[in-house]
Structures are given as structure tokens and as C-alpha cells.
Amino acid sequence: MKNKEFVFTDFLEMIQKSWTYERMTEEEKGAISCIILDYRTTENIKGTYNQRWKTLNVIYSTYLRGIGYNGADWREKEVL
């Protein structure tokens, strides 16, 4: 069983390996890291590890929408 207190850093490590994170600007990367590790987030998300993970997924999905995520071709580099 995973320790629920580590869910915030575990989640951040997971998204840092994602292709969506790779396509973010440095400013966007910094912002999502701050959101996930912010005191208001860590103190207000309660429940089991899995419940907290699901809530963080909602936050990340919402963040991606806010920065224009629109699917698999989001910020795809033009192939020449």
C-alpha cells in the first residue's frame, strides 16, 4: 500500500514523464508544479492514496484544458 502523504510528489513525478508535460513551456511546467505542491492543494485534498490521485488527475486535466490542450496532436511539431 502506498503512503498517501507521498501522492503529491508521486503524481508530479509521473506527469513530468508525460508527453503533455514535455510540450509545455517552462512557465507552464513551473505553474503546474506549484499548483500540485501548494499548501492549499496538499492540505485540502483528503482521502486514500487513490482518492487523492484521482483528484490530482482532475486538477491536471483542468490545467491542460486551460493551456489549450486539444488531444493527441496538441503542440505537435511540424514534420518537414
Side-chain angles (χ1 to χ4, degrees):
M1 178 176 255
K2 294 186 177 185
N3 185 329
K4 64 185 179 183
E5 301 304 318
F6 297 129
V7 71
F8 303 100
T9 54
D10 290 351
F11 190 84
L12 188 55
E13 287 176 17
M14 182 274 300
I15 65 168
Q16 289 173 338
K17 296 174 185 173
S18 70
W19 70 270
T20 51
Y21 187 86
E22 182 63 31
R23 287 179 170 88
M24 289 182 199
T25 66
E26 292 304 313
E27 183 178 350
E28 291 166 343
K29 291 175 182 178
I32 191 59
S33 296
C34 287
I35 290 166
I36 291 172
L37 299 176
D38 186 86
Y39 176 80
R40 290 169 292 191
T41 304
T42 60
E43 289 300 309
N44 289 297
I45 295 178
K46 305 293 182 197
T48 66
Y49 187 96
N50 286 338
Q51 289 167 330
R52 293 173 185 215
W53 189 274
K54 287 178 182 180
T55 303
L56 289 170
N57 263 318
V58 171
I59 290 170
Y60 189 54
S61 295
T62 303
Y63 181 77
L64 287 174
R65 291 268 181 146
I67 61 171
Y69 175 76
N70 62 355
D73 64 347
W74 179 63
R75 296 184 180 175
E76 189 71 31
K77 293 181 181 176
E78 187 176 342
V79 179
L80 299 176

